[in-house]
């Protein structure tokens, strides 16, 4: 919100002239804090509120009106809940046992194959994460995700690790290590990393559409999420690319609209290959979680951030513990979807206010987002191997 000047008719003429001159020269623009319940964009700026498409020009305007120094000052007191994320870097090396640990992944898993690797980890450790029983013929731990681990582990057998990143999932009670999305779990894993993005088209457009403001893509048409999306999207110009509420003429229209998003290979295109590239053409991306519960922040939000768009988010009540300061529009802070739609439309026509949502990236103000990335799937192999090493691997006592 802008600072509004009070009536000055009772002031002396010299005082009025001085005050007006000061305002004109300062170009001072103040934005709301993340705790603001309704951070409406400014109604008075030193530049006209009008549609803009060039993102880099918006950045330049923001630099001249605000700048990183003011942004860092404003965010210096921003303090999300530190207990929402495990302190990855605070652990020491004293409790480690084996310096090499191998983890064999059992059964099908949604974790991409590109996680399979031999890793150089902290404290001189190496970690082998693989789905191959040939490479890990004597594993220190077995990782189960879509299949249940055995209910009992015998002495000398690999540790049983169970992983479930779905909402409200809890340990089974007979695994040695549980991997979940919550900080209270044995090993926490967030969706904030770049693992899912490998091999995708990362062309990020510098031009934002003015005729269509919001990107939405969902092919799992859950009734609650669909209802919310339908209400909001009916109020703003949007493109819906998935099976749910599709309005672009089919599921493969992204490459028709944005041919530059093709991977330029002979394989059949998949929607995830050009996801970020397509998103980058829109000022906003609607991100609605399947389940709204504490600390459950999924790739739906992070895809939008990585694509250089502003997420309009509905989900975890503590989402600010997992994202950069002033980086998203928290839909829960609005009294209605009508109020939210009005805000989005105003923001879309204010290049300086819109550029503020990208300042975290340009000014290096990450907040808890840095910790969220440190606890992501990208670092899971080393962190799990450390946990296995601390427990003693095959030498660990049975439960």
């Amino acid at each position: 919100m802008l600072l509004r000047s009070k009536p000055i008719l009772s002031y002396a003429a010299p005082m009025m002239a001085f005050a007006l001159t000061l305002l004109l020269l300062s170009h001072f623009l103040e934005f709301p804090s993340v705790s603001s319940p309704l951070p409406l964009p400014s109604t008075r700026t030193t530049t006209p509120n009008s549609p803009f498409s060039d993102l880099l020009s918006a950045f330049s305007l923001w630099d001249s009106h605000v700048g990183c120094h003011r942004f860092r000052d404003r965010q210096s007191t921003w303090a999300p809940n530190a207990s929402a994320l495990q302190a990855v870097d605070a652990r020491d090396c004293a409790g480690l046992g084996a310096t090499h640990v191998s983890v064999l992944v059992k059964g099908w898993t949604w974790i991409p194959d590109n996680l399979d690797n031999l890793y150089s980890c902290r404290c001189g450790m190496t970690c082998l994460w693989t789905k191959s029983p040939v490479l890990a013929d004597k594993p220190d731990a077995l990782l189960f995700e879509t299949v249940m681990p055995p209910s009992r582990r015998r002495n000398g057998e690999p540790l049983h690790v169970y992983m479930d990143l779905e909402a409200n999932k809890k340990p089974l009670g007979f695994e040695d290590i549980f991997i979940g999305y919550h900080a209270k779990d044995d090993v926490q894993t967030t969706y904030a990393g770049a693992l899912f993005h490998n091999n995708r088209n990362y062309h990020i457009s510098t031009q934002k559409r003015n005729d269509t403001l919001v990107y939405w893509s969902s092919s799992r048409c859950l009734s609650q999420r669909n209802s919310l999306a339908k209400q909001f999207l009916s109020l703003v110009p949007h493109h819906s690319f998935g099976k749910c509420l599709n309005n672009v003429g089919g599921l493969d229209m992204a490459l028709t609209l944005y041919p530059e998003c093709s991977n330029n290979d002979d394989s059949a295109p998949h929607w995830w290959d050009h996801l970020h590239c397509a998103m980058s053409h829109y000022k906003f991306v609607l991100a609605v979680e399947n389940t709204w519960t504490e600390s459950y922040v999924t790739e739906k939000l992070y895809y939008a951030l990585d694509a250089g768009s502003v997420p309009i988010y509905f989900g975890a009540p503590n989402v600010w513990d997992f994202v950069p300061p002033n980086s998203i529009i928290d839909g829960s802070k609005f009294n209605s979807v009508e109020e939210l739609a009005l805000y989005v439309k105003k923001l879309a026509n204010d290049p300086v206010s819109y550029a503020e949502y990208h300042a975290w990236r340009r000014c290096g103000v990450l907040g808890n987002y840095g910790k969220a990335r440190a606890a992501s799937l990208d670092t899971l192999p080393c962190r799990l191997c450390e946990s296995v090493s601390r427990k003693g691997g095959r030498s660990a006592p049975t439960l």
Side-chain angles (χ1 to χ4, degrees):
M1 288 170 285
L2 281 177
L3 295 178
R4 290 177 169 82
S5 57
K6 297 180 180 179
I8 56 174
L9 295 178
S10 60
Y11 285 63
M15 205 62 179
M16 178 187 293
F18 174 79
L20 290 174
T21 301
L22 182 62
L23 285 172
L24 289 171
L25 291 177
S26 65
H27 299 298
F28 183 72
L29 181 63
E30 183 171 341
F31 291 83
S33 68
V34 294
S35 61
S36 172
L38 187 58
L40 288 174
S42 156
T43 57
R44 176 178 60 83
T45 64
T46 53
T47 58
N49 284 351
S50 60
F52 68 96
S53 59
D54 185 19
L55 187 59
L56 296 182
S57 295
F59 289 168
S60 295
L61 279 174
W62 184 86
D63 287 338
S64 63
H65 288 76
V66 185
C68 286
H69 178 72
R70 284 177 179 166
F71 182 75
R72 293 191 190 103
D73 284 347
R74 280 203 298 270
Q75 306 304 333
S76 61
T77 58
W78 192 78
N81 177 18
S83 64
L85 289 159
Q86 291 180 350
V88 174
D89 295 329
R91 297 171 298 177
D92 57 38
C93 303
L96 291 176
T99 58
H100 176 75
V101 171
S102 61
V103 175
L104 178 61
V105 180
K106 300 291 287 184
W108 183 89
T109 174
W110 64 274
I111 298 174
D113 290 341
N114 56 22
L115 195 64
D116 284 30
N117 208 341
L118 177 63
Y119 295 85
S120 297
C121 306
R122 298 184 328 120
C123 308
M125 274 194 62
T126 53
C127 172
L128 175 64
W129 174 293
T130 181
K131 295 176 183 177
S132 169
V134 176
L135 297 181
D137 61 319
K138 293 183 178 180
D140 300 287
L142 302 177
L143 173 66
F144 302 87
E145 184 193 359
T146 57
V147 294
M148 302 285 284
S151 59
R152 184 180 178 185
R153 180 178 66 86
R154 297 181 176 83
N155 286 327
E157 290 184 343
L159 292 180
H160 291 168
V161 180
Y162 183 57
M163 175 175 174
D164 199 323
L165 301 184
E166 291 301 318
N168 299 317
K169 296 296 183 179
K170 298 179 180 179
L172 300 172
F174 50 80
E175 66 273 87
D176 298 284
I177 299 173
F178 177 70
I179 303 173
Y181 64 87
H182 203 280
K184 66 182 179 182
D185 297 325
D186 296 327
V187 178
Q188 181 185 25
T189 293
T190 72
Y191 290 79
L195 180 68
F196 291 103
H197 312 166
N198 293 349
N199 302 321
R200 292 184 179 173
N201 187 313
Y202 259 86
H203 172 82
I204 302 298
S205 175
T206 62
Q207 299 297 311
K208 297 290 186 180
R209 297 183 68 126
N210 280 319
D211 59 336
T212 310
L213 300 181
V214 179
Y215 173 103
W216 160 253
S217 180
S218 176
S219 292
R220 187 181 176 191
C221 305
L222 303 177
S223 58
Q224 182 179 5
R225 182 171 60 185
N226 237 36
S227 177
L228 172 61
K230 186 175 182 179
Q231 291 179 56
F232 173 68
L233 294 176
S234 68
L235 302 173
V236 294
H238 69 281
H239 277 164
S240 178
F241 287 93
K243 295 179 181 178
C244 312
L245 309 176
N246 187 286
N247 70 343
V248 293
L251 301 179
D252 300 319
M253 290 301 294
L255 291 182
T256 300
L257 292 173
Y258 312 111
E260 69 273 21
C261 293
S262 171
N263 277 340
N264 296 318
D265 56 28
D266 295 329
S267 60
H270 300 288
W271 65 268
W272 55 81
D273 293 329
H274 50 73
L275 177 72
H276 294 82
C277 178
M279 276 186 181
S280 72
H281 292 79
Y282 300 83
K283 293 178 181 177
F284 308 97
V285 171
L286 180 61
V288 185
E289 301 288 8
N290 298 350
T291 303
W292 302 3
T293 190
E294 181 183 341
S295 298
Y296 186 63
V297 182
T298 71
E299 76 285 352
K300 296 176 182 64
L301 182 151
Y302 294 116
Y303 283 166
L305 285 180
D306 292 341
S309 297
V310 176
I312 303 169
Y313 182 77
F314 289 90
N318 64 332
V319 62
W320 287 109
D321 296 334
F322 295 85
V323 296
N326 205 80
S327 60
I328 72 170
I329 298 173
D330 186 351
S332 69
K333 301 300 183 182
F334 295 80
N335 295 319
S336 66
V337 291
E338 289 79 11
E339 194 172 61
L340 172 60
L342 177 63
Y343 173 71
V344 168
K345 290 177 181 177
K346 287 184 177 179
L347 186 62
N349 290 337
D350 190 332
V352 177
S353 295
Y354 180 81
E356 179 89 352
Y357 280 89
H358 296 273
W360 64 271
R361 181 188 294 108
R362 303 176 64 241
C363 302
V365 181
L366 302 186
N368 255 21
Y369 181 60
K371 297 179 181 178
R373 290 193 69 105
S376 72
L377 277 168
D378 294 4
T379 65
L380 176 60
C382 281
R383 291 185 294 115
L384 175 58
C385 283
E386 283 189 21
S387 181
V388 171
S389 178
R390 291 179 192 281
K391 285 183 173 289
R394 288 172 170 267
S395 300
T398 56
L399 297 175

